[in-house]
Every structure is written in structure tokens, then in C-alpha cells.
Amino acid sequence: MLSEQVTNAPGHVPEELVLDYPIKMGGLIDENPFDQIIPDIHRTMPPIFYALDAYPGGTPAWIVRRVEDLQTIYFDTDSFSNKDFAPFALLVGESWSSLPAETDPPMHSLYRKWVNPLFTPKEINKLDGKIRQYARDYCAAIKAKGSCEFMSEFAFEFPIKVFLELMGLPQEMTAEFLEWEMGLLHTNDLAVIADSTRKVLAYLRSEIADRKANPRDDLISYGVTTQIDGRPLTDDELIGFAFNLFIGGMDTVSTNMAWQFRHIATHPEDQNMLRNNPDKIPDAIEELMRAYPAVTTFRTCKKEVTIGGVTFRPGDKIAMPTCLAGRDPEEYEDADRVKLGRKTRYLSFGYGPHLCVGMHLARREMRIALEEFLAAIPEFRIQDDYTVQTHTGGILQPDKLPLVWG
């Protein structure tokens, strides 16, 4: 179980670096964090600082805000471990790791080599027709209504449909998976997170047992029937693999989609440009991923190391906030201005050895969502006089996004 809330920084942390981090775990704010909060952090806070409540459960972590320093940490796998970058197993008293996300070299390379064939562009191409049909079905239902609450009626359910397809799970599980997802990722209540974790684990373990008895053509069956380094996966490896797919395959895609649609709903010039030039959607997504990254992962310091004049010690947690990296004014010219078509590198899918294995699938889902929605729905905007609230913490996510047109 995670420790109780810490009220004092450890002795090796300089007092002047202990600062209040405004992006709170489990928060819900009226302000768009990309408008003011994140620019303020870059303008007023040091490159690396320490917050007493930045890790899940309200415990301390270093905050690293610059791309340059984040890249250094991504690559330094000798000094920083990915183990426990999210505390789900720890919360329920188990010791498995999400695979390959929470593993370190040399095992990480073996896991990546094992899982990479599932997510090549060639494999993702095979899903194109089904992904597009799911998007069209949702768009048709939305168009008939004349308005929609984009989060619940599209952003959450559409990626879950794709995930269920990949995992060989029943489509009628969509609502239940969404409920578990909310309990895992959008609360700071450790009891709720633990309860949701147990429910997901119980379900995934039952499906793993089923595939052992009756393997099929899906990702769980792949885990059960294939080998790594000449041996079958252990039970802990199988649950870590399935749990990582659950987290990565749904919420992050939903969240990125939400920010992209929020942007074009509030920037009609960008929306109209994409309507008139759908071939520009792939490049537009790249800039929107740079400008509205949403995920913070964590590293654990393994040995003393100094970066940018700040010394990390073993056991320190380090927050890796892509939401800050994407707006780093030292890395991007006019960092707070969205220029669709801007071509630049970004950290939204991670960096280095832990570059997101599912990024080709995520890009495909986001592209098809924009293509089909813009083709089916007239020019849309956010409902008049509505304040979009944002969940803050490990994932920055719009709460509700009511879209209207006509």
C-alpha cells in the first residue's frame, strides 16, 4: 500500500525547489490547463522542482518540465526505472508489472521484440475497415440526434470498441469497461482505484484462463500461445501484458481525441480547413498531439544522478509530464500557438526505448475519427455558455464536451 501523505520533503531536496504543483491528482477544474496553468508553470517555475502531492495517492515526486531534461531521463535506464510508474499492482498487494511499459533493460528489449509484431502498420491496416465502420456507426447515431456529448457518446466508447475487437472480448462489455476505466484513472481515492483494479484483474484472469483452454485469434490468445526467450509467459507476465493493453488501448486515445475535437470546436478556422482539406488531417493530428499532450508517467530513481543541477536519489519518484513538454518554450517556437501542419518531434507517445508500442493504432483511430466526424456532422461548436471542466492528474481529460451544430 502507498504511504500516507507526506508533509515534508526529504533532506536532499532544497527548500526553494519545494513548490506547489497546480496540476493536482484527482482534480476537476473549470480552466483549460493549456491556456494559463501550463504556460504559467513554464514562465514561473524552475526546470525541475519538487511537489509533495504529485504521485498517485498524494505522495511526493520531482516535476520535470523541459523536453531536454525529459529526454535525458527517458534514455537513462541505468539511473531511472520504469517499475511502478503507475501503482496499480502495488495497491492490491501484487507484484506483476505492466508489460512492456513497466520493465527495464534487458528484459524490456525482449518484451518489446515479442509484442512489436502485433502493432506494425501492416497489422493495423487489417483493422482499418472495422475501425472506420465503428466510427461511421457512432457518427450516424449522433447526426440523427442533432447534438452530442462527445465524451460519453464517442470519445470513450469508440476506442473501447476497437480494444474489445483486438482482445476478442464481447462488445456488450463497453459500459462496464468504461466504468472500470473511470475508477482506475480519474480519481485520487485509493480505495476506488484498488477496487477497480481488482475488478479488471479478475475479468482479465478469467479471459486468460479461457484462452488457455480455447485459444483464438486475438491478443490475449497471442500472449497465451507464444513464447518469449524460448519459454511461455508466466501468469504475472500474462496479466501484466493484458492490463497494459487495457490502460493504453482506451483512455489515452479517448483523451487525445477529446482535446483534438475541443480544439477544432473552438477554432472554426481550423475546423473548416480540415473539412476542405481532409488530406491534411494526419499532419494536423501531429501538431494537436504536440500541443495537447495529456499523460504523465513516472520513473523511480535507482542510483544518485544529477540533471540540470538537481540531484535525484534512489527511491525518488520523477513525474514525466508530456502536458508540460508539449508547451516547452525552449523547445518550440510559439509553443502555445497551435499551427496545424507544423512538423516537429514531440514526447506525447514517450521517447527512446519506451516509445509507445501502440502509437500506429492510436494515430489510425484518431485520424479515422476526425475524417468520419467531419464528413458526417455539419460545422460544430461547444454548446453556448457551457464551461468545459478538466480532470487533472496523471491524465488531463475534458470531463464533458457538449457539441452542437446548425
Side-chain angles (χ1 to χ4, degrees):
M1 184 65 74
L2 298 178
S3 60
E4 296 296 321
Q5 186 168 3
V6 176
T7 55
N8 294 299
H12 69 281
V13 178
E15 184 177 346
E16 67 272 15
L17 292 184
V18 181
L19 300 171
D20 180 57
Y21 185 44
I23 301 176
K24 303 295 184 185
M25 284 288 172
L28 185 64
I29 60 173
D30 289 344
E31 185 178 0
N32 182 339
F34 292 101
D35 285 347
Q36 193 65 43
I37 295 173
I38 289 171
D40 280 350
I41 291 171
H42 281 300
R43 190 175 63 254
T44 64
M45 294 190 172
I48 302 172
F49 59 96
Y50 196 82
L52 295 176
D53 57 356
Y55 188 71
T59 52
W62 291 98
I63 311 295
V64 182
R65 66 168 180 81
R66 297 192 309 180
V67 167
E68 179 182 0
D69 296 330
L70 287 165
Q71 288 176 332
T72 298
I73 295 170
Y74 274 119
F75 271 110
D76 188 359
T77 55
D78 289 334
S79 303
F80 299 98
S81 172
N82 260 45
K83 176 65 178 167
D84 298 331
F85 83 19
F88 299 111
L90 201 63
L91 277 173
V92 295
E94 299 186 15
S95 58
W96 49 268
S97 298
S98 292
L99 301 184
E102 284 190 296
T103 60
D104 297 321
M107 286 305 297
H108 176 261
S109 297
L110 288 175
Y111 290 129
R112 279 300 292 251
K113 183 179 179 181
W114 172 76
V115 78
N116 279 340
L118 297 171
F119 295 100
T120 63
K122 181 181 177 181
E123 286 300 309
I124 300 307
N125 285 341
K126 297 176 184 178
L127 290 169
D128 194 280
K130 286 194 173 182
I131 295 174
R132 195 170 294 279
Q133 190 57 53
Y134 287 139
R136 286 176 176 170
D137 290 345
Y138 278 109
C139 288
I142 286 168
K143 186 176 183 179
K145 290 179 57 179
S147 65
C148 75
E149 196 291 286
F150 182 75
M151 301 303 297
S152 61
E153 295 179 45
F154 193 103
F156 288 132
E157 292 202 1
F158 170 58
I160 291 178
K161 292 282 189 185
V162 178
F163 169 80
L164 293 172
E165 181 77 34
L166 284 165
M167 298 289 278
L169 302 175
Q171 294 291 333
E172 54 267 27
M173 287 293 296
T174 299
E176 199 159 9
F177 271 41
L178 181 56
E179 179 185 341
W180 296 343
E181 179 186 333
M182 292 298 104
L184 284 172
L185 299 171
H186 298 291
T187 177
N188 204 34
D189 187 326
L190 294 184
V192 173
I193 299 172
D195 182 61
S196 298
T197 301
R198 291 187 187 97
K199 289 176 179 176
V200 173
L201 292 176
Y203 182 79
L204 292 176
R205 284 185 169 122
S206 71
E207 291 297 320
I208 289 169
D210 175 72
R211 297 311 188 281
K212 286 182 177 180
N214 305 287
R216 305 198 289 271
D217 183 19
D218 57 47
L219 296 192
I220 298 178
S221 297
Y222 179 84
V224 166
T225 59
T226 59
Q227 294 191 337
I228 184 167
D229 201 25
R231 61 166 178 82
L233 270 70
T234 66
D235 289 343
D236 273 359
E237 287 172 330
L238 284 171
I239 197 64
F241 168 61
F243 194 87
N244 189 59
L245 291 172
F246 182 90
I247 295 292
M250 296 189 299
D251 201 82
T252 51
V253 177
S254 301
T255 299
N256 286 317
M257 226 179 270
W259 285 110
Q260 290 160 17
F261 276 77
R262 180 177 183 174
H263 176 87
I264 64 173
T266 53
H267 294 77
E269 69 284 2
D270 287 343
Q271 183 180 155
N272 288 327
M273 188 275 288
L274 294 179
R275 285 181 181 280
N276 295 327
N277 303 275
D279 59 304
K280 296 186 182 298
I281 287 175
D283 284 344
I285 286 172
E286 295 303 290
E287 169 65 352
L288 293 168
M289 286 292 294
R290 191 277 310 170
Y292 297 103
V295 177
T296 296
T297 58
F298 292 87
R299 299 292 187 271
T300 302
C301 183
K302 293 193 292 185
K303 65 181 183 182
E304 185 169 311
V305 62
T306 299
I307 296 175
V310 172
T311 298
F312 303 102
R313 293 209 175 155
D316 285 359
K317 298 294 185 184
I318 298 92
M320 310 282 282
T322 62
C323 60
L324 300 185
R327 299 298 183 108
D328 179 3
E330 296 179 44
E331 183 71 17
Y332 306 107
E333 184 179 352
D334 292 331
D336 294 320
R337 184 179 169 197
V338 179
K339 304 176 185 178
L340 298 189
R342 182 201 307 234
K343 296 184 186 297
T344 187
R345 301 180 72 176
Y346 53 79
L347 303 185
S348 306
F349 285 119
Y351 193 75
H354 282 279
L355 190 66
C356 175
V357 69
M359 64 182 181
H360 298 302
L361 176 60
R363 283 187 171 112
R364 182 68 56 94
E365 291 179 68
M366 292 183 288
R367 175 175 63 77
I368 289 174
L370 268 174
E371 288 172 351
E372 296 299 330
F373 204 93
L374 289 173
I377 307 299
E379 184 174 343
F380 56 87
R381 66 188 187 281
I382 295 174
Q383 177 184 312
D384 296 342
D385 301 322
Y386 185 86
T387 298
V388 177
Q389 294 184 302
T390 300
H391 293 279
T392 61
I395 296 180
L396 296 181
Q397 186 180 81
D399 178 47
K400 291 182 174 61
L401 197 62
L403 302 180
V404 298
W405 50 89

